[in-house]
Amino acid sequence: MCLAVPGRVLDIGERDGTRMATVAFGGVQKEVCLEYLPDLQVGEYAIVHVGFALQRLDEESARQTLELFAQLGMLQEEFGDPWEQAAQAGGGEWPFADAPDAAPDAAPDGAADGVRGHDAVPAVGAAREEGGR
Amino acid sequence: MRYIDEFQDPELARRLLDDIHATVTRPWALMEVCGGQTHTIIRHGIDQLLPERVELIHGPGCPVCVTPLEVIDKALEIASRPNVIFCSFGDMLRVPGTGRDLFQVRSEGGDVRVVYSPLDALRIARQNPARQVVFFGIGFETTAPPNAMTVYQAKKLGIANFSLLVSHVRVPPAIEAIMRSPSCRVQGFLAAGHVCSVMGTGEYPGLAERHRVPIVVTGFEPLDILEGVRRAVHQLERGEHTVDNAYARAVRPEGNPAALAMLEDVFEVTDRAWRGIGIIPDSGWRLSARYREFDAEHRFSVTGIQTREPAECRSGEVLQGLLKPHECEAFGTLCTPRNPLGATMVSSEGACAAYYLYRRLELTPAPQAGTAAPLEASPVV
């Protein structure tokens, strides 16, 4: 959660009067709020933390950071399945195999958005460690 | 130098290290404030590449670690209630409260959900108007603005079934408290880069002047850390104590004005307890009077919960840089990521977890040939 990750703005739109964007982080895409960087444009890069763009970043710095994070397994930690990671941290078996996204009744209302898409994170298997996030 | 080939630009890393080695003439102790920086340092063995006379001390900059036990217990109490959907970042699932954690609450039937953004929790509240949706609002100055925006939106949109369990902390008062401690050995700070992306650098010149310490704003990639150390050491050797920005690609002096304005509107500064440390004056935020109706502590009447931390856990000393993780008697034996006594071990950004994940092989004597003693049971030197 501490981690803020650089991402590239793919498109921008309004939702409930709020300026939102689709942002790509390596192979993962997320909905991101632009209220704190209202001038950010499609194609630009920003540091994103818990779904909010917080500061602009130049393209080269962003690319280097994303590459490094992928190598270190940090994108997997940030965007992987938190329930699975918590189960591994506890040393137990993954107990929710039939509902891997989030709470059992979460799927219809989209609550699991935040934990989907981890299959698209660059493969970093060796970097996964016991006791992750 | 066994790690240096793993740096993104090994040649640049070597040049920075050579400069640091050539500059240092006396012992210096620097504190990296951010837990992400601690992990970079341990993961890449940066502390071992530096001259022996440059010591890196790990600071309190892990929001998961410093969230007080009683706040965790309040979260567990609220999350256990039948009409509640409790939303949290994934990092908090395994943080131990008294006797259990959010992961267990869910396995006992509590509706605990992990969200990527606090706005996801607000969306859940709109979609479940008959239920109370609570978001666990922890974190430093990087996380506070997103949570502030979420409360602002809840008020604007009239979403009455949403509330925030808030335990936000601020970095500069923690630096002040560390410098005021009689046992403080810190002579310079690597300030947390992303905190400064939001807050700017305006809070630091007074600190640097008052305590005569250089403060270098630093990112958390390996080369960022080396450059931060290099600049801090140059200042110390010259007897200077200014604020220097070594993370200019992401930090502007004024920070993010829109985020600062929202913080000012939604939150107000308050004293805040830090897990393992105790109360630090003015070190936190709570909802301001205009937004008090969204305060989960009052909505669920859990203001009276008070708990005590395990006596064996010395994470408070680790968080203040007074003790290295492996110097704790419980490290690696009573306390492991699978069975943590305190949050510095359970959080992946905690100093104890970093040492456990990346250092235990070096800290543990090699087993005798033919034995297969589990690492967790091995004595720690």
Side-chain angles (χ1 to χ4, degrees):
Chain A
M1 188 204 77
C2 280
L3 194 64
V5 181
R8 180 172 182 265
V9 177
L10 298 180
D11 60 54
I12 295 174
E14 298 279 318
R15 182 192 292 167
D16 300 327
T18 302
R19 191 168 162 83
M20 301 289 290
T22 307
V23 173
F25 308 91
V28 182
Q29 293 183 13
K30 292 284 180 191
E31 284 293 294
V32 166
C33 180
L34 297 189
E35 287 292 307
Y36 292 142
L37 279 184
D39 299 333
L40 200 64
Q41 300 299 322
V42 170
E44 286 192 293
Y45 288 80
I47 292 173
V48 175
H49 181 56
V50 296
F52 284 72
L54 293 179
Q55 199 58 266
R56 270 193 173 78
L57 199 62
D58 65 273
E59 179 173 348
E60 189 187 339
S61 301
R63 283 182 187 280
Q64 283 180 4
T65 301
L66 269 177
E67 194 178 306
L68 182 74
F69 283 5
Q71 282 171 11
L72 297 179
M74 291 163 79
L75 288 181
Q76 178 68 37
E77 286 181 11
E78 184 73 4
F79 298 121
D81 187 322
W83 289 106
E84 191 171 2
Q85 290 170 19
Q88 288 172 355
E93 291 298 311
W94 170 234
F96 308 116
D98 56 337
D101 276 338
D105 58 346
D109 62 20
D113 283 358
V115 294
R116 285 201 185 114
H118 60 280
D119 291 344
V121 173
V124 289
R128 292 283 296 133
E129 305 273 356
E130 166 193 351
R133 297 162 80 81
Chain B
M1 294 283 174
R2 64 194 171 89
Y3 290 94
I4 202 162
D5 291 341
E6 296 173 15
F7 279 72
Q8 192 174 28
D9 184 341
E11 181 51 36
L12 179 54
R14 195 174 299 279
R15 287 212 304 273
L16 292 171
L17 279 164
D18 287 346
D19 184 277
I20 294 167
H21 277 269
T23 303
V24 171
T25 65
R26 280 170 286 169
W28 299 114
L30 306 175
M31 175 175 275
E32 86 277 0
V33 173
C34 170
Q37 292 171 336
T38 300
H39 261 248
T40 300
I41 288 162
I42 303 303
R43 201 166 200 162
H44 290 266
I46 289 173
D47 52 334
Q48 297 174 331
L49 295 170
L50 293 171
E52 272 185 29
R53 288 190 285 191
V54 176
E55 181 186 4
L56 291 178
I57 297 174
H58 315 306
C62 164
V64 179
C65 305
V66 301
T67 301
L69 188 59
E70 66 179 54
V71 175
I72 306 291
D73 283 348
K74 287 173 183 175
L76 298 172
E77 161 70 21
I78 294 171
S80 301
R81 298 201 185 175
N83 195 37
V84 167
I85 301 172
F86 193 87
C87 300
S88 170
F89 296 130
D91 311 56
M92 300 305 287
L93 299 178
R94 278 293 181 187
V95 180
T98 304
R100 57 185 183 152
D101 56 32
L102 281 171
F103 194 85
Q104 284 170 276
V105 169
R106 169 156 181 221
S107 69
E108 292 160 11
D111 194 346
V112 179
R113 303 188 190 183
V114 173
V115 294
Y116 165 65
S117 164
L119 288 177
D120 294 339
L122 196 61
R123 190 168 69 238
I124 293 170
R126 298 182 77 177
Q127 291 164 345
N128 295 273
R131 303 185 59 191
Q132 287 289 326
V133 175
V134 182
F135 181 68
F136 200 176
I138 69 142
F140 283 91
E141 290 95 329
T142 40
T143 322
N147 292 350
M149 174 66 77
T150 304
V151 173
Y152 171 83
Q153 293 278 356
K155 190 175 178 76
K156 190 174 83 171
L157 299 170
I159 302 175
N161 63 324
F162 175 84
S163 59
L164 190 70
L165 179 61
V166 54
S167 185
H168 283 300
V169 279
R170 304 169 60 232
V171 166
I175 291 180
E176 180 78 42
I178 287 163
M179 290 310 296
R180 283 176 182 271
S181 165
S183 43
C184 174
R185 297 185 298 118
V186 180
Q187 294 163 293
F189 284 94
L190 308 182
H194 288 153
V195 164
C196 297
S197 292
V198 172
M199 303 303 292
T201 54
E203 292 180 280
Y204 291 122
L207 275 171
E209 182 61 39
R210 198 155 53 246
H211 298 291
R212 304 183 70 78
V213 285
I215 299 177
V216 182
V217 178
T218 305
F220 48 85
E221 293 173 35
L223 291 173
D224 289 332
I225 304 282
L226 288 181
E227 175 63 6
V229 170
R230 193 186 72 84
R231 293 195 193 192
V233 164
H234 273 274
Q235 282 204 45
L236 287 165
E237 290 284 342
R238 293 197 299 259
E240 296 173 357
H241 45 85
T242 63
V243 177
D244 187 10
N245 183 2
Y247 195 37
R249 67 182 187 274
V251 173
R252 289 154 184 73
E254 71 277 13
N256 183 319
L260 291 174
M262 185 61 75
L263 285 173
E264 176 80 18
D265 179 40
V266 175
F267 291 129
E268 63 190 20
V269 170
T270 184
D271 298 347
R272 181 68 73 188
W274 296 50
R275 188 169 195 164
I277 297 178
I279 290 174
I280 300 178
D282 294 335
S283 69
W285 275 303
R286 64 179 174 192
L287 290 166
S288 64
R290 285 187 297 283
Y291 296 91
R292 202 59 54 79
E293 69 202 83
F294 295 98
D295 187 341
E297 279 196 55
H298 291 284
R299 188 172 296 190
F300 295 92
S301 302
V302 292
T303 49
I305 292 181
Q306 289 189 335
T307 40
R308 291 177 59 180
E309 296 171 41
E312 307 92 335
C313 180
R314 301 177 70 185
S315 62
E317 292 163 81
V318 173
L319 289 167
Q320 295 173 82
L322 304 176
L323 187 77
K324 296 277 188 190
H326 61 279
E327 292 165 356
C328 172
E329 285 183 5
F331 176 83
T333 53
L334 273 180
C335 184
T336 68
R338 291 186 177 204
N339 185 25
L341 282 180
T344 45
M345 181 61 91
V346 75
S347 161
S348 68
E349 272 117 22
C352 295
Y355 270 70
Y356 189 86
L357 292 174
Y358 304 118
R359 274 298 152 75
R360 63 176 168 165
L361 292 174
E362 298 158 32
L363 298 170
T364 306
Q368 299 294 314
T371 63
L375 281 168
E376 289 181 12
S378 302
V380 175
V381 291

